[in-house]
Amino acid sequence: GGGGGTIVRDSVAVPLEGKTLSGGEFIHLYDSTPYKIMNGHVAVNVPCAENSTALIKVLIGQAPNLAPAELENVSQLSTPGTLCLYHVDIPPQGRTVTDIAIINPPGGSDIDFPAGSTVVIGINEISSGAEEHEEAEGSTW
């Protein structure tokens, strides 16, 4: 879409320490409706596997059509097998994003979040017009 964005500086930090997510459970972290997020990012410091794969997925999109985001591992600030830091730029090309959540994918083991587990969401620019829903692609999680 064209310009017309509004500069904002909204930052939300969500401590996850002490929380437990069972398989299929999610935490809805951010909702910008009726505005869409034009520029922002999410940083998650969460439990990860030895190969630096996050145990949770970050879901982004326009509720109820959320899909897993591409997580970029920040290796300098990660400890594989314990906690890893990941970065997500919002929005990905061609996607409308109003909602951000994390999910423990269905069928996953319970995840107990240790000290230092956080989600930080930074929103830099929003734009009106998110109420024009895209065609549903169906959820992929």
Side-chain angles (χ1 to χ4, degrees):
T6 303
I7 304 295
V8 294
R9 187 66 192 104
D10 189 18
S11 187
V12 180
V14 184
L16 299 173
E17 179 177 342
K19 292 188 185 343
T20 299
L21 271 188
S22 302
E25 284 189 325
F26 71 95
I27 302 174
H28 193 172
L29 299 167
Y30 200 90
D31 180 358
S32 64
T33 307
Y35 300 97
K36 54 188 177 185
I37 300 167
M38 303 303 290
N39 181 300
H41 71 271
V42 181
V44 291
N45 196 35
V46 292
C48 56
E50 295 289 346
N51 65 357
S52 296
T53 302
L55 300 186
I56 58 110
K57 289 186 184 301
V58 174
L59 300 177
I60 58 172
Q62 194 170 5
N65 300 315
L66 302 181
E70 189 76 36
L71 296 181
E72 184 185 323
N73 179 237
V74 182
S75 57
Q76 303 89 321
L77 297 172
S78 297
T79 307
T82 308
L83 280 178
C84 295
L85 184 71
Y86 304 91
H87 179 87
V88 178
D89 280 318
I90 296 175
Q93 195 60 39
R95 292 278 306 281
T96 296
V97 177
T98 55
D99 296 87
I100 301 168
I102 59 170
I103 189 171
N104 179 359
S109 311
D110 286 8
I111 298 173
D112 297 310
F113 291 96
S117 302
T118 53
V119 179
V120 177
I121 298 169
I123 306 300
N124 305 317
E125 190 179 350
I126 57 173
S127 167
S128 59
E131 58 278 339
E132 302 155 22
H133 280 270
E134 301 169 4
E135 285 301 306
E137 300 151 35
S139 298
T140 54
W141 49 276

